[in-house]
Amino acid sequence: MKPRDRLRIAMQKSGRLTEPALDLLTRCGLTFRQSRDKLFCFGEGEPVDLLLVRDDDIPGLIAQGVCDLGIVGRNVLGEFQLTAGRDGEPLDELRPLGFGRCRLSIAVPQDMAYEAPKDLAGTRIATSYPGLLGEWLRSRGIDAGVVTLAGSVEIAPKLGTADAICDLVQSGGTLVANQLRETDVLLESEAVLAGPLTLPVDERGDMLELLLKRLDGVIQVRE
Ligand code: PRP
Ligand code: ZN
Ligand code: MG
């Protein structure tokens, strides 16, 4: 990896975290000029640039050193640590950012008899979070099948490819639309600033320290 003197932050290209993340960085006094392909934002004042990517790719980009930091959901970070990033150096949640709040939950068809997690034994559960779900099941000694889907997880019970699901819930609208009922919360999530456990000891480290100070000020004002 070529040495860099500018701090590079990965964030979601388009999705629920994009606007609030940009808004937060703007409040921290950062301004950007976007590249024509909209994949890169060049920092105009401070030496901080943005890389706009799919949220699921963010932890890997930090782990590889392509980016120094990322703004990503705790759910995506946690899943990475348990799966693709399991053998590497763990990433650190530097700050919770207070937006993008949602939860990773189990949901079952409204007409399914369900009282406690042990009722999931022998079922198939569809999810995009096999790592987090697998750990939750293991810690409770529940033997269930995990069906990994990249998206549209909520439709799996209707299609007959799973008995229950484990997915993100924000308003609950998607669950209602699919006649599902939330039963257990595995993880309370929100956007976080993620980074490596050991920070670079160069100009980037100095800039990061300054950014964290400003973040703390902005987050405090908002609360
Ligand atoms: C997320 C999540 C749920 C839905 C929950 O999907 O996977 O499907 O939002 O939100 P709600 O409780 O407010 O209905 P999203 O629309 O972000 O798309 P994705 O699943 O393709 O990532
Ligand atoms: Zn995603
Ligand atoms: Mg979805």
Side-chain angles (χ1 to χ4, degrees):
M1 199 64 46
K2 259 190 285 170
R4 269 184 288 113
D5 51 7
R6 300 176 64 86
L7 201 61
R8 192 183 289 163
I9 308 177
M11 55 168 274
Q12 193 181 34
K13 179 172 155 56
S14 64
R16 296 190 198 207
L17 302 186
T18 308
E19 256 207 43
L22 276 175
D23 185 59
L24 181 65
L25 294 174
T26 306
R27 283 157 183 262
C28 289
L30 304 178
T31 54
F32 303 98
R33 184 163 37 80
Q34 206 170 34
S35 69
R36 209 175 302 166
D37 58 13
K38 306 224 154 105
L39 296 177
F40 195 78
C41 289
F42 185 80
E44 294 182 310
E46 315 286 357
V48 181
D49 304 321
L50 305 180
L51 199 65
L52 304 182
V53 296
R54 279 205 48 183
D55 61 345
D56 313 74
D57 292 334
I58 292 175
L61 290 168
I62 304 170
Q64 292 164 42
V66 175
C67 293
D68 304 297
L69 301 167
I71 296 179
V72 68
R74 180 177 294 135
N75 51 300
V76 172
L77 184 61
E79 181 66 20
F80 176 80
Q81 314 261 45
L82 290 170
T83 52
R86 144 188 90 224
D87 300 323
E89 201 193 323
L91 299 180
D92 196 13
E93 184 177 314
L94 298 171
R95 292 290 186 281
L97 297 177
F99 61 87
R101 287 215 168 87
C102 61
R103 48 200 189 270
L104 182 68
S105 294
I106 302 283
V108 303
Q110 272 160 14
D111 56 11
M112 175 175 153
Y114 180 95
E115 277 169 12
K118 65 168 174 36
D119 297 335
L120 294 169
T123 65
R124 296 157 304 159
I125 310 171
T127 190
S128 309
Y129 299 90
L132 290 165
L133 173 59
E135 193 194 56
W136 186 80
L137 291 169
R138 253 191 315 282
S139 72
R140 279 163 184 73
I142 300 165
D143 191 13
V146 174
V147 180
T148 304
L149 298 175
S152 302
V153 167
E154 289 93 346
I155 204 167
K158 227 174 269 170
L159 297 179
T161 52
D163 307 295
I165 69 157
C166 170
D167 198 13
L168 297 177
V169 182
Q170 195 180 64
S171 66
T174 308
L175 291 186
V176 171
N178 289 282
Q179 284 101 48
L180 297 168
R181 142 174 99 91
E182 188 178 2
T183 58
D184 304 273
V185 176
L186 280 64
L187 176 76
E188 296 279 356
S189 187
E190 66 185 287
V192 303
L193 183 71
L197 222 42
T198 38
L199 303 171
V201 199
D202 55 19
E203 293 101 316
R204 289 176 297 163
D206 298 342
M207 185 58 223
L208 174 58
E209 228 172 277
L210 181 65
L211 180 63
L212 288 176
K213 235 179 248 158
R214 290 190 191 173
L215 261 179
D216 291 338
V218 169
I219 293 170
Q220 225 161 41
V221 166
R222 224 174 23 182
E223 269 162 5

